[in-house]
Amino acid sequence: MHKFTPEVEELANEILAYSLDRLKTDPPLDGPRSAADLFAEVGNTITERGLGGRAALGVFTEVLAKACISTDHPRYLAYIPSAPSEYASLFDLVVGASALYGGSWQEGAGAVFAENQALRWLSDLAGLPESAGGVFVQGGTIGNLSALVTAREDARAKFPDVTKWAIACSAEAHSSIATAAKIMDVELVKIAPRADLRIHGDDIAAAIDEYHASSTGRICAVVATSGTTNLGVIDDLIGAGKAAHDRNIWYHVDGAYGLAGLCAPSVRADFNGIELCDSFIVDPHKWLFAPYDACALVYRNPEIARTTHTQHASYLESLHDGSWSPSDYAIQLTRRTRGLPFWFSLAAAGTDAYRDAVEESLTVAKNAAKLISAHPRLELLREPDLSIVAFTRTGWSKDDYQKWSDQLLEDQIGFVTPSSHQGQTILRFAIVNPWTTMADIEVILDTL
Ligand SMILES: *Cc1c(COP(=O)(O)O)cnc(C)c1O
C-alpha cells in the first residue's frame, strides 16, 4: 500500500511489538516526573524536520511512557483504576486503525449497530424498556451533564413558566454533578445522607418539597448515586425514583463506577429501583474492563434526548434522515466509536465472563475487609457494599498517610492515595481489576 514505505513498515512492526508487550506483561507502576525534568531529558520534540518515527517512538517508550502511572497495574488501587480486558485493548488498536466515524448512522452504521447492542445489554440489566437507548460518551462527567441538560429540557416543556431550575442530589454525589449544575447555571440542592451514608426517599421528598415551597425555582432532576466514588455506597434507588416521579421530576442514576455491579448476582438486589430511572450512566472504563475513555449513557425515552441534543445546520441536515445518530444524544458531534472495544470484549468473552470478573473483585474486596478488620493497627471504616474498601491506620496524621502513600509509589509497591470521610483521613482500596489478588492486598497491608 502506497502509504507504507519500508521505513513505515518497520515502524509498524515496532509499534505492534511494543503494544503487544505492554499488553502481555505486568507493567511497572512507574510515576510522574516534573515538566522541567522531562524537558531536560527529551527537549523540544516538535521540530521543523521531524524526529522520524523510530526516534519519536523511542522518546515515548523510553521516557514519556515511564512518566505515566500504569492504571491497570494490579496494585494500582487509588481513585478508580482501569482494567481493560485483553480483548478490549486489542480491539482499541483496530478502532484506531480504521478511521471509523461514530457520530452518525450514515457514516458508521456497522459500528453504531455494535455499540447499540452493548448499550442494550446494560439497559436490559437495568430493566429499562426495549425503547431505551443512548450513546457512549467520553466519561461520566459528560454523561451526567448530557443527561441533566436533557432533564431540564423535559422540565421546561412540562413547566413552561418556570425560569429557575435546580438539581437535587446527595451531599456525597460525585463532583461532576456540581460541575454540571455550574455549567447549566442551575442551583444544587444537597441532601444529607443518613447514618448508612445513603440518601433515602423520605429525605429526598422533603428536600424537594421544601425547595419548591421556598423558591420560585423547580427541581428538574433528582440524581441518585449507585456506588459513590469514595466508599461505593448505593443510595435508596427505589425511594429516590418514587420521590422524583411523584413530583413529575426526571430521575437520573449516576452509576459511573458501581452500576457494573448490575451483572453480579450477589449484589444485584442492591440496585433495585434502577428500573425506575429516566437515565443512567456507567463507565465501562471503570469496572467493565474497557480502555479509556467510555461512558455508557442510557435514556428511558431517547426521543427527549434527541430533541435536546441534535445540532442543526445546513451542512448537517442530510444526516437527519430518521436514522439513529449517536451524536444526537449527548453534548458532542464528532465522536470516536469509543464503545467498540467494550462491545468486542463483551461479544468475544460473553457476559458470563463479565459476571465472573465483577464477582471476583467483590470477593477480593470482602476478603480484604476481613484482613483489615483483623489487622492490629488498622480499622475498617465500614463493610464494603461493592468493591471499595475504606479504612484508617491508628495514630496516623494526614501527613503520615501522605508520606506512606508517596513511599509506596516510590518503592514501586503500589499506588494508594489518601482520601477523607467526615473530616477524617482514610485510605481506600478501589478494586476493579480481576488481576488484583489477595497476595497484592497483603503486600500493601504489610507496609502498614
Ligand atoms: C468517576 C465518576 C464520575 C465521573 O466519571 P469520569 O468518567 O471520570 O468523567 C461520575 N460519577 C461517579 C459516581 C464516578 O465514580
Side-chain angles (χ1 to χ4, degrees):
M1 170 142 165
H2 71 280
K3 290 180 192 166
F4 266 45
T5 61
E7 190 250 333
V8 174
E9 186 80 40
E10 194 177 316
L11 181 65
N13 289 330
E14 280 187 47
I15 286 179
L16 290 175
Y18 173 82
S19 302
L20 285 188
D21 187 59
R22 174 63 181 78
L23 291 174
K24 272 185 192 170
T25 50
D26 261 4
L29 263 165
D30 296 323
R33 293 168 63 182
S34 71
D37 192 23
L38 288 169
F39 191 82
E41 189 158 349
V42 306
N44 186 3
T45 56
I46 309 302
T47 59
E48 277 185 6
R49 307 192 48 144
L51 304 178
R54 283 196 80 173
L57 181 64
V59 167
F60 178 76
T61 59
E62 296 307 317
V63 185
L64 303 182
K66 292 174 181 172
C68 300
I69 301 181
S70 302
T71 60
D72 57 344
H73 189 285
R75 288 190 298 278
Y76 179 122
L77 305 176
Y79 312 113
I80 306 286
S82 86
S85 71
E86 59 280 36
Y87 287 140
S89 294
L90 286 168
F91 205 72
D92 213 15
L93 297 177
V94 175
V95 172
S98 305
L100 300 167
Y101 182 80
S104 70
W105 188 269
Q106 185 185 75
E107 292 150 288
V112 175
F113 173 86
E115 286 191 317
N116 285 351
Q117 288 203 336
L119 290 169
R120 171 70 52 212
W121 179 62
L122 295 169
S123 173
D124 287 349
L125 283 175
L128 292 193
E130 192 61 23
S131 52
V135 55
F136 288 97
V137 295
Q138 169 252 320
T141 300
I142 296 293
N144 283 331
L145 176 62
S146 298
L148 292 169
V149 167
T150 303
R152 181 179 57 185
E153 204 71 357
D154 185 52
R156 278 176 173 157
K158 287 176 182 156
F159 303 96
D161 297 335
V162 174
T163 55
K164 187 170 137 187
W165 299 101
I167 294 165
C169 67
S170 167
E172 297 285 324
H174 187 266
S175 50
S176 57
I177 304 299
T179 295
K182 190 162 107 181
I183 295 169
M184 294 166 69
D185 195 20
V186 301
E187 290 192 89
L188 200 59
V189 174
K190 286 195 182 177
I191 298 152
R194 292 198 193 160
D196 62 3
L197 305 182
R198 294 145 44 96
I199 50 168
H200 288 261
D202 291 350
D203 299 341
I204 299 166
I208 298 169
D209 292 344
E210 191 188 315
Y211 181 79
H212 286 171
S214 65
S215 166
T216 56
R218 255 195 81 84
I219 306 276
C220 63
V222 168
V223 180
T225 311
S226 61
T228 55
T229 318
N230 207 27
L231 299 175
V233 176
I234 303 168
D235 285 333
D236 167 14
L237 298 187
I238 297 174
K242 193 167 178 322
H245 286 168
D246 283 352
R247 291 159 182 78
N248 204 4
I249 297 172
W250 186 281
Y251 177 38
H252 175 67
V253 176
D254 176 0
Y257 149 67
L259 268 183
L262 281 177
C263 70
S266 70
V267 292
R268 177 58 183 85
D270 298 341
F271 297 98
N272 286 348
I274 181 70
E275 70 283 355
L276 301 174
C277 77
D278 295 294
S279 55
F280 73 81
I281 63 155
V282 56
D283 280 357
H285 67 220
K286 283 181 170 170
W287 197 10
L288 287 172
F289 321 112
Y292 301 124
D293 47 21
C295 163
L297 163 61
V298 176
Y299 300 96
R300 169 181 298 277
N301 179 357
E303 187 53 24
I304 302 171
R306 197 180 62 78
T307 55
T308 303
H309 291 296
T310 300
Q311 296 189 25
H312 294 281
S314 52
Y315 42 83
L316 294 177
E317 290 315 311
S318 63
L319 292 173
H320 304 325
D321 57 0
S323 59
W324 180 279
S325 286
S327 289
D328 295 344
Y329 299 91
I331 300 157
Q332 59 185 355
L333 185 59
T334 295
R335 66 179 288 277
R336 173 182 168 83
T337 53
R338 52 169 48 86
L340 272 192
F342 173 56
W343 161 78
F344 181 78
S345 183
L346 261 182
T351 58
D352 285 0
Y354 273 68
R355 175 198 63 203
D356 295 347
V358 171
E359 288 286 5
E360 179 62 24
S361 301
L362 291 165
T363 303
V364 171
K366 236 183 237 143
N367 290 335
K370 272 188 208 144
L371 276 190
I372 288 164
S373 297
H375 194 288
R377 293 178 299 280
L378 302 179
E379 199 170 327
L380 187 69
L381 196 72
R382 65 201 300 276
E383 283 301 325
D385 293 320
L386 293 171
S387 67
I388 296 174
V389 190
F391 57 99
T392 54
R393 165 72 162 75
T394 44
W396 272 13
S397 69
K398 198 174 167 196
D399 269 3
D400 293 328
Y401 283 104
Q402 190 60 55
K403 272 189 215 140
W404 170 83
S405 171
D406 294 343
Q407 193 63 45
L408 196 73
L409 183 63
E410 175 80 28
D411 295 342
Q412 292 287 289
I413 296 172
F415 188 52
V416 179
T417 49
S419 179
S420 68
H421 174 65
Q422 295 174 348
Q424 180 187 28
T425 306
I426 62 167
L427 291 174
R428 53 190 276 292
F429 292 160
I431 301 163
V432 299
N433 189 334
W435 304 110
T436 300
T437 63
M438 283 313 290
D440 292 310
I441 301 293
E442 282 166 32
V443 167
I444 295 173
L445 291 182
D446 282 349
T447 66
L448 286 156

